[in-house]
Amino acid sequence: MSWMASARHGVREAPAGLALVQELLNTRATMHYGADLLLSADDAQRWLSEAINTWSRVSGLPAPTLLISSSDLRSLRRLRTTFENVILAAGQENLDGALPPADVPVSLVPDADGWVRMVPTGRGTRWLASALWAEALLAQQAGLWPRLKLCHNGDCRAAFFDTSRNNSGVWHDVSTCGNTANLRAFRERKRLMGGSGGQPQPPIVGPPSFR
C-alpha cells in the first residue's frame, strides 16, 4: 500500500523536489480522498518515510531516518498550514497578516564539478522544514513555484501542479471540483432569478483537467 498523499487525489506529481512540498500539502483530509495523515503518529510516520525516500531518489541526496512522535504532529500540521498560506499568497489570495520567517538552516555544499547545492540540515521535523523551504526556493528560482496550486474548491484544496499552457488551472480535477462549483453557481443563479421569468443556462461540463 502506498502512503503517498498526492496519489490519493490522482493529481500530477510536481517535478523534482517540489513534489515534497506538494506531498505535505496533500496530507490534509479532503472530501472523500481519505483521512488527515498528520493526525496520528503511525500514519504520519508511514507517510513521511515514503515521502522522504522518494525525495531522496529524485534529489540524489541521502534520506535521513526521521522518527515521528505524537508531540511532533502539531509542528507538522503547523508547517503544512504555513505552506498553504505561502501558496495562497503566491496566488494573490488575501491573507490576514504577514507570513512568518522560515527560520531554518541549510548547508551550501559544492560538488565535484563546482556546483553549489543546498542540503537540508537539522534533526527531526527541523530537517523536514529545512528540506521543504530549500525546495520551495529552488522551485521559485526555476519558475515552477507559480504552478503549484491549491484547488479552488474550498472543501477540497488538493495541491496540484498546473500544466496548462497559460497556467490558468484552478481545479485539481475539472470533472469533479470544477463541475461541482459550476452546478452550485447555476443553482444560485436560478434561485436569485426566482420569478423573474428568465431561465439560467445549465453548467457546461468542462474538458478533463491537465493532471
Side-chain angles (χ1 to χ4, degrees), residues 85 89 94-100:
N85 288 335
N94 294 327
L95 296 174
D96 294 329
L99 297 173

Side-chain angles (χ1 to χ4, degrees), residues 111-126:
D111 62 20
D113 297 322
W115 292 94
V116 179
R117 303 191 67 181
M118 279 194 297
V119 179
T121 60
R123 294 179 177 274
T125 56
R126 291 281 291 173

Side-chain angles (χ1 to χ4, degrees), residues 59-208:
S59 67
L61 295 172
T65 299
L66 302 186
L67 300 179
I68 298 299
S69 66
S70 297
S71 60
D72 293 321
L73 296 176
R74 180 175 296 180
S75 296
L76 287 173
R77 293 194 296 267
R78 185 163 52 243
L79 187 61
R80 179 177 63 191
T81 298
T82 297
F83 273 95
E84 287 173 342
N85 288 335
V86 174
I87 293 291
L88 293 175
Q92 299 181 342
E93 295 192 35
N94 294 327
L95 296 174
D96 294 329
L99 297 173
D103 189 27
V104 292
V106 295
S107 293
L108 301 178
V109 181
D111 62 20
D113 297 322
W115 292 94
V116 179
R117 303 191 67 181
M118 279 194 297
V119 179
T121 60
R123 294 179 177 274
T125 56
R126 291 281 291 173
W127 180 93
L128 179 61
S130 178
L132 289 163
W133 285 112
E135 294 298 350
L137 178 58
L138 290 172
Q140 290 182 353
Q141 292 173 335
L144 298 173
W145 186 254
R147 289 187 175 273
L148 184 61
K149 302 177 179 181
L150 299 179
C151 181
H152 273 213
N153 182 349
D155 295 327
C156 175
R157 283 307 202 193
F160 68 100
F161 187 77
D162 187 0
T163 59
S164 62
R165 181 173 299 179
N166 59 354
N167 194 26
S168 60
V170 295
W171 316 110
H172 93 281
D173 189 335
V174 172
S175 65
T176 56
C177 290
N179 283 340
T180 297
N182 289 339
L183 182 59
R184 186 182 300 118
F186 167 71
R187 288 172 175 169
E188 179 63 13
R189 290 196 303 271
K190 186 175 181 180
R191 184 187 67 82
L192 291 176
M193 294 182 74
S196 63
Q199 291 296 323
Q201 294 299 310
I204 298 175
V205 176

